[in-house]
Amino acid sequence: MARLEFWFDFSCPFAYVASTQVEQLAQRTGADLDLRPMLLGGVFKARGTPQNLAATLNPAKARHNFDDMRRQAQRVGVPLRMPASHPMRTVEALRCVLAAGLSLPLIHSTLTLIHRIYRAYWDENADISDRAVLTRAITEAGLEPAAILARAESQEIKDELRRRTDEAVERGIFGVPTYFVGDQLFWGQDRSDMVEEALGGRPAAPRLAPTAPVEFFFDYSSPFAYLAIMRAEAELGPQVRWRPVLLGGLFRSIGTPDVPLFVQSPEKRRHTMLDLDRQAARAGLPFKFPSRFPIRTVLPLRVTLAAGSPPALVRALATAQWAEDRDVSDPAVVAAIADAVGLDGARLVAAAETPEIKQALVTSTAAAEAAGVFGVPTFVVATERGPQLYWGADRLTLAAAAASGDVSAM
């Protein structure tokens, strides 16, 4: 039987959402569920990550982060409210889980306890370091609170939590939830489909019929934008409005590092590169990280605007950058790509140097910032609830659901 490791701490809302689904995931695939509590603060300390990571986000990204956690919860019918005192201390609750036991026949009661503690934090906004809160959770899980609370204070349990946290660091974990299938690491609740496939399952694909207008903000400098560019028209519909933006200019305006990949921890960077390969493989797309990175994309962006942003040109330029390792900062290369899709490459390259087209890129980038864009790819869907912003190639399906009128995706 395959084994599914689920590493978690109570302080993460995405781990909370994942915790409500992981048992069903294991059951569908016939996997043996291995629960792995760990102290996220200890992992953050080892990685040099701020303890309150959310507080480091720029306002636009913080808004999206909150919207994203809300959407993820409502998609699976889970109540979620952000506690005013977040992040709260979780060490006592994690020790109680270890004290309750993680082997059969205790695991079912421990799972109930885990769900109850998560609900206390993310639905009731209770302080789960409070003894009374833990007593109530343990009692409602059908366990004996006095015995568990006493064992949770033992040196044995304290050492066990520390050992598990050290193991998480050693195995390359940098956040929660983290899943392991064998030696394959998957980070994030939104990678559960990949986890299911790794376990031999077949996640159901949603049937969508997008009709709402969508603005798609992109730059050729992002590999994730490439993944979205190649799928956007097929998944969002022909009504997509393609909006080239100069990501470097946007980053400078909102105070984001020019190349976010370069400021990630080594462990997170390794996972990002692996995740790119996995997303490309799932989409059936060729992908090769280019020999020139980062690369100037001003020219192809201006050429795209000069041509009126035709999807065929956008896809061809993105493919040249992220599948063929061609230098899209070279005018001759860009002209040849435009020629190959039936356009006048020389004319477009010349037009890219005109004041009108230069200003068009500045204007498009400013419009992106005004819309709340903080990275690419970003989709802004015109819904019955007003504009809804989705960031990331991995949010394309969610944007398509919103464009199809699915209110749970809004």
Side-chain angles (χ1 to χ4, degrees), residues 19-355:
S19 74
T20 68
Q21 306 299 304
V22 71
E23 291 169 77
Q24 296 91 329
L25 171 57
Q27 289 168 2
R28 284 196 303 274
T29 56
D32 182 14
L33 180 58
D34 185 354
L35 297 168
R36 298 294 187 101
M38 51 164 260
L39 188 60
L40 184 59
V43 171
F44 279 177
K45 184 177 180 180
R47 303 283 183 236
T49 303
Q51 291 293 317
N52 187 357
L53 191 56
T56 68
L57 304 178
N58 66 61
K61 191 169 185 178
R63 283 194 299 273
H64 178 270
N65 198 50
F66 179 80
D67 283 342
D68 193 48
M69 68 178 71
R70 174 183 56 78
R71 290 166 181 156
Q72 298 300 327
Q74 69 187 19
R75 291 286 279 173
V76 296
V78 174
L80 186 150
R81 296 186 302 131
M82 176 62 72
S85 54
H86 175 74
M88 292 186 279
R89 181 178 167 88
T90 62
V91 63
E92 291 85 1
L94 292 165
R95 288 173 181 166
C96 283
V97 169
L98 290 172
L102 292 172
S103 59
L104 291 172
L106 295 172
I107 191 170
H108 299 297
S109 296
T110 307
L111 275 166
T112 303
L113 176 60
I114 290 168
H115 294 318
R116 187 62 190 88
I117 294 173
Y118 264 125
R119 194 163 70 250
Y121 194 122
W122 290 105
D123 183 16
E124 301 163 4
N125 295 166
D127 181 358
I128 62 171
S129 69
D130 185 277
R131 191 177 182 89
V133 172
L134 288 172
T135 297
R136 184 167 62 251
I138 295 166
T139 301
E140 291 178 5
L143 300 167
E144 175 51 52
I148 288 176
L149 287 166
R151 187 164 185 246
E153 290 300 313
S154 70
Q155 194 59 48
E156 173 195 8
I157 293 298
K158 291 178 180 179
D159 289 345
E160 179 63 10
L161 181 58
R162 187 176 299 110
R163 184 195 67 77
R164 287 172 178 264
T165 303
D166 289 344
E167 181 186 351
V169 172
E170 291 168 5
R171 294 181 65 186
I173 292 175
F174 53 87
V176 294
T178 290
Y179 309 82
F180 271 99
V181 178
D183 60 358
Q184 296 183 78
L185 183 155
F186 301 85
W187 171 60
Q189 169 266 337
D190 51 3
R191 295 300 182 267
S192 61
D193 282 359
M194 290 185 181
V195 174
E196 188 160 351
E197 289 176 351
L199 289 166
R202 293 186 178 180
R207 295 183 179 180
L208 303 172
T211 56
V214 181
E215 289 191 286
F216 174 26
F217 296 92
F218 66 92
D219 186 344
Y220 299 110
S221 63
S222 164
F224 293 103
Y226 158 67
L227 297 176
I229 283 168
M230 303 307 289
R231 298 164 50 203
E233 193 169 32
E235 296 194 29
L236 293 172
Q239 72 276 14
V240 172
R241 183 183 179 194
W242 300 75
R243 300 294 302 274
V245 301
L246 185 60
L247 188 59
L250 176 65
F251 280 171
R252 285 189 290 276
S253 181
I254 64 178
T256 296
D258 282 347
V259 188
L261 181 68
F262 290 172
V263 298
Q264 292 179 354
S265 69
E267 294 77 16
K268 188 171 184 179
R269 192 180 311 132
R270 280 196 296 272
H271 182 270
T272 297
M273 300 302 290
L274 177 59
D275 191 54
L276 282 165
D277 289 334
R278 287 170 173 167
Q279 288 200 50
R282 289 192 85 206
L285 294 172
F287 175 75
K288 178 183 179 182
F289 207 87
S291 55
R292 294 167 294 272
F293 182 81
I295 189 169
R296 283 179 54 82
T297 57
V298 172
L299 174 62
L301 291 167
R302 289 177 181 168
V303 164
T304 299
L305 285 166
S309 302
L313 176 62
V314 176
R315 287 191 291 267
L317 286 165
T319 299
Q321 168 73 9
W322 292 104
E324 300 168 349
D325 197 16
R326 297 169 72 184
D327 184 359
V328 297
S329 68
D330 184 330
V333 171
V334 172
I337 292 169
D339 288 342
V341 295
L343 301 171
D344 186 339
R347 182 188 67 80
L348 291 172
V349 168
E353 295 303 315
T354 64

